[in-house]
Amino acid sequence: MAISVPLHQPTYSFFSNPQEQWKWCAKPSYSFSNNSQNNIRPIKASVETPPFPLFQNPKLEETPADGLEPADPDFYKIGYVRSMRAYGVEFKEGPDGFGVFASKDIEPRRRARLVMQIPLELMLTIRQKLPWMFFPDIVPLGHPIFDIINSTDPETDWDLRLACLLLYAFDQDDNFWQLYGDFLPNADECTSLLLATEEDLMELQDPNLASTMREQQKRAREFWEKNWHSGVPLKIKRLAHDPERFIWAVSIAQSRCINMQVRIGALVQDANMLIPYADMLNHSFQPNCFFHWRFKDRMLEVMVNAGQHVRRGEEMTVNYMHGQMNDMLMQRYGFSSPVNPWNVIQFSGDARIHLDSFLSVFNISGLPEEYYHNSKISSDEESFIDGAVIAAARTLPTWSDGDVPLVPSIERKAVKELQEECRQMLAEFPTTSKQDQKMLDSMKEPRRTLEAAIKYRLHRKLFIDKVTKALDIYQDRILF
Amino acid sequence: MATLSAAWMYQDRGLGPVDYSDDFITRKPNFNRFQTSFLGSFPTGILQTRFRLNNLLRRTSSVRRIKCEKNDELPEYVSVERPPYYSYFDSASGQLEPASGARASIPGEEYWPEGTASRVRAARAPEPTGESTGSPSYGKHPGSRRKKYKASVRARSSEVSVESSASLEPEVSEDATEDPKESSSEYVVYETESKAEGETEYELDKKLGRPHPFIDPKVRKPIEEPLSSEELWWNWRKSDKEQWSRWQRRRPDVETVFLKAMAETGQIKLYGEHPTLTETALYRARRHLFKEERLKAEQERLERIGPIAYYSEWVKAWKRDTSREAIQKHYEETGEDENTQLIEMFCHQTDREYRIMMGNDIRIKRDPLAMRLQEDQIKQIWGGDPVYPTVNYIQDPDEVIDYRGPDFHEPTPNMLDYLKEHGKVISREELEEILAKEKTEEVEMTDMDEAMAQAVDIGEKDEEGEDSDLDADADDEEEKITRNWSVLKSTPQLQKSKAKPKKDGPMSLEEAVDDSENLTDFLLDFDEED
């Protein structure tokens, strides 16, 4: 799985100014628009005047500064040949992995626009419950892999099943995943914590998460040992010669699995699906796109939200998991985000702040499930308010009692107490956020998992930091 | 393949000294295509090859047969025009049309069945171009074709190495070719600014989902002249055969008959010869409105000019001045107010005028159109005489009229005359006459046996008896026949059977004249009379 975390500004900020983030306005294609009427293939100008004067030396190769290049053309071609389609998007690869980017502007329309469609034949799908149904049905009847899959627990072992299926698909001739597997992150690139070493888990600075991950690793290894012992037939043995391969498969299965309720035939089922091109979409808390299962011809459609204005070069994102903290994201997908609006800090004590005034200070509106920053109210550009502030609004202990006004002194006291708690929490960490940042910058070629772990704790500290700052601002702007 | 080889041989024979090299060149790919299409075994492919073969055959044969008048050598290769064209631009519609068997036009996207649009879009999506440098590992090395993996193998650098620039070019060109082709897709916008300027408010409305008319008012074409009922293809054309029953005729309705009459007199103009429902409704509404208008006008006139002036229209004898001032003056003079003067005026009105004014007399026609309606039109609406309906009953012109006589309605006819007429009763004198004739024969008859008397004998005695009998019968019959003398005259058989036994010998003239009823007896066919 690829997270594209751009270098400085988080993608997940509410005011995403693409001008700031993408320093290089993707493609040099203003010559397109001139030639589009003539349908002439535009001549690639070797020298383009860059839109920003930052680049004094125009590059001969069209490489964006943030390292995004178009993916291997075979990537789309192998899908195209098998009737997968991508409309108006292209796959780009950056230092952090693959991403899906819009290749043209999409107007805000009243209906969701189709961006990608992937037929069922390319996927690896297992029904979550018994009886297991595979779509497409690649597991032959007597194959021992089926027995392995059968031996898993229907409730909990969906990732192991998917991993087995994935490995089997790699082994099966003329299976699409043999070709597509070349574009999956390999064991070095995969950031999932299943592949993390002890040292990385230590770096998490989160004992709960670390223990959870250890359990997961143990579980996967045990499964491998149970089913790939030396006595198994070669059919099975060659699927995963070593446990690392199996654990990698499990990590891929966990991080790239899409759980959807699909209707195939007459049956509506919960399915765990590994879907080739749709798993290259990255995560965002304000996603562009969503998945839709088209029952008629059994295609997964990736559609842009209705009314969503997408600019050229903007990243297409999906919400992976809704309403989970960073540690869940980390556990399952191997990434974390500083602006997760569902982050939770456990505050102890009785200090409470007034919810309504906190929300109004930051112009956050909506129901508690769906807080959002209301940009209509706030006139000035506030880049401070992002998901972290929303998360703060959720996790800070608050009180709200109809029209009862707040008592300023109590409020201030409460704010001070909460800030004190945050400071304490920050102090409990062995390193500060600055140190973490420095460590990240200084590491030359960090292991992915190490990098992810450090980022995880960095994001946690940043979050607490942000909460503190938010409380400061709240204190300033509170109306009396 | 046999046909193919035959074609080739045929061509070889015909070529001779003429150089058909370019023809070969153009045909060679054809040949390859033939082969592939045969191998592919598409039926359409075979048809196409046969078509092309026919073209080739025709072409070669036509080329060979070119002969000039001057009988020159065969000139250098005259490039015969390539036979058409599997499609051409239709001169009528301006659209591309296939040469063989044009089909109906394919409807637009709005009419496609569900799912077609997505399939079409999938089919239209451009193929990815671009060559990849890596090769698949078929499951052995997952992640082997990722760029970073490759780059990490050769010392990673912040800028992309030159080796991968070669792979960049085709990739970028892939994006380039994708974009212009995909520019035809619906949501492609390259420069939002320019499109926003060129966008009309209609398009803006449409895009933003605001209420808008169906068709862009600038683009919309006005409705042309509607086709006549003959041109409309869904029009029910009247069959050529006449109606086989009068029940198939148009049912008359008050409105339609009125409108038809009005159209005949030129008051209104109908679209066809019969008024349609729309026209009927329209004119009915108009009539109603006109009537209301007229009534209002009349009322207004009454109010304006005063009742005396108004009603003086129906009082011809009132010659005095009826204006308001005159009435006022009269009032001042004589003290008779308006009502009294009105009564005074009405005393001068005649009965007929009164009835016309009130409009209660049915003998006085009030509806100007009804005055002008023709008889059959009136009969269509209101029917004819209810006792003797003439229009609604179908009359057979060949029918023999059932005429019962002038006193048909007499409840009991005169029985005696009736019986006499039908020959059931004869008068006493006739009876005595007959009996007198019968007496002589009875004497003769007693000589013979009864059995003999019963036998039919063509003896002399019997003849006389028969004669007298026949005479008596003939008299009666003649009496009877005189009523229907036409029947008698038209059936010559009757005449003959009566006439022949009468002749004993050549009759004298007086006897013949006495025998005959009138001179028409002698109008028989003289051939048959010996």
Side-chain angles (χ1 to χ4, degrees), chain B residues 31 112 356:
Chain B
F31 184 63
W112 292 351
I356 289 175

Side-chain angles (χ1 to χ4, degrees), chain B residues 112-208:
Chain B
W112 292 351
E114 191 193 313
T116 309
S118 57
R119 290 175 60 187
V120 165
R121 194 176 24 173
R124 279 189 196 156
E127 269 201 41
T129 54
E131 285 301 313
S132 162
T133 48
S135 62
S137 68
Y138 298 105
K140 304 286 181 301
H141 307 286
S144 54
R145 290 172 91 178
R146 288 175 82 119
K147 294 244 166 43
K148 293 303 137 191
Y149 178 80
K150 255 193 311 197
S152 66
V153 168
R154 329 152 177 154
R156 193 196 292 215
S157 57
S158 58
E159 294 191 28
V160 181
S161 53
V162 186
E163 288 98 280
S164 41
S165 69
S167 59
L168 277 179
E169 300 282 344
E171 294 146 24
V172 176
S173 65
E174 158 217 341
D175 295 323
T177 52
E178 269 183 35
D179 292 332
K181 277 187 207 155
E182 286 188 77
S183 64
S184 58
S185 67
E186 33 189 357
Y187 52 78
V188 169
V189 169
Y190 288 114
E191 289 173 334
T192 42
E193 304 88 13
S194 69
K195 191 62 182 113
E197 285 150 14
E199 215 164 22
T200 59
E201 70 276 3
Y202 171 75
E203 282 173 46
L204 203 64
D205 279 342
K206 196 168 184 173
K207 192 171 64 140
L208 299 177

Side-chain angles (χ1 to χ4, degrees), chain A residues 261-474:
Chain A
Q261 215 179 32
V262 306
R263 179 184 169 205
I264 298 181
L267 181 63
V268 178
Q269 56 196 306
D270 290 297
N272 303 312
M273 315 208 284
L274 284 176
I275 307 181
Y277 294 86
D279 53 9
M280 291 301 186
L281 287 150
N282 292 320
H283 168 83
S284 162
F285 294 103
Q286 285 111 292
N288 263 340
C289 313
F290 60 97
F291 296 134
H292 175 246
W293 175 253
R294 197 198 302 164
F295 153 74
K296 193 174 167 77
D297 43 2
R298 301 183 181 182
M299 295 243 197
L300 185 90
E301 300 176 329
V302 178
M303 315 194 78
V304 177
N305 286 333
Q308 183 90 18
H309 186 93
V310 176
R311 302 224 165 67
R312 186 193 191 104
E314 214 175 293
E315 173 149 27
M316 301 277 129
T317 52
V318 183
N319 198 341
Y320 286 179
M321 264 164 68
H322 182 74
Q324 297 295 336
M325 289 177 55
N326 261 343
D327 59 351
M328 286 304 294
L329 289 181
M330 196 68 193
Q331 175 191 334
R332 175 87 176 260
Y333 299 108
F335 74 94
S336 59
S337 160
V339 292
N340 189 344
W342 297 93
N343 256 337
V344 169
I345 304 178
Q346 298 296 335
F347 287 98
S348 53
D350 309 333
R352 292 185 188 280
I353 56 171
H354 191 218
L355 175 66
D356 304 320
S357 45
F358 186 84
L359 293 179
S360 71
V361 161
F362 295 106
N363 287 317
I364 297 171
S365 29
L367 297 173
E369 296 310 313
E370 24 180 75
Y371 282 142
Y372 64 97
H373 175 73
N374 199 340
S375 48
K376 291 198 198 96
I377 302 178
S378 68
S379 48
D380 49 348
E381 296 278 322
E382 294 213 31
S383 52
F384 175 77
I385 302 175
D386 57 4
V389 181
I390 305 266
R394 279 200 199 109
T395 75
L396 285 171
T398 55
W399 66 272
S400 174
D401 199 0
D403 279 346
V404 176
L406 46 90
V407 180
S409 53
I410 300 181
E411 283 300 309
R412 284 212 197 90
K413 206 149 56 106
V415 164
K416 282 204 180 48
E417 278 183 29
L418 291 173
Q419 283 182 337
E420 182 59 34
E421 267 198 68
C422 292
R423 205 185 50 75
Q424 275 173 10
M425 272 193 269
L426 278 179
E428 279 163 18
F429 284 112
T431 58
T432 68
S433 55
K434 289 205 183 29
Q435 286 169 346
D436 289 335
Q437 188 66 47
K438 225 172 357 163
M439 198 186 312
L440 271 179
D441 295 336
S442 63
M443 283 199 301
K444 271 288 159 28
E445 290 280 332
R447 261 199 325 276
R448 294 286 190 166
T449 43
L450 181 63
E451 200 181 335
I454 297 179
K455 277 196 193 146
Y456 172 74
R457 71 178 194 230
L458 169 66
H459 291 159
R460 184 132 189 98
K461 289 168 197 150
L462 284 177
F463 176 58
I464 301 178
D465 220 358
K466 194 101 185 193
V467 168
T468 318
K469 285 202 202 107
L471 284 172
D472 270 337
I473 296 179
Y474 171 65

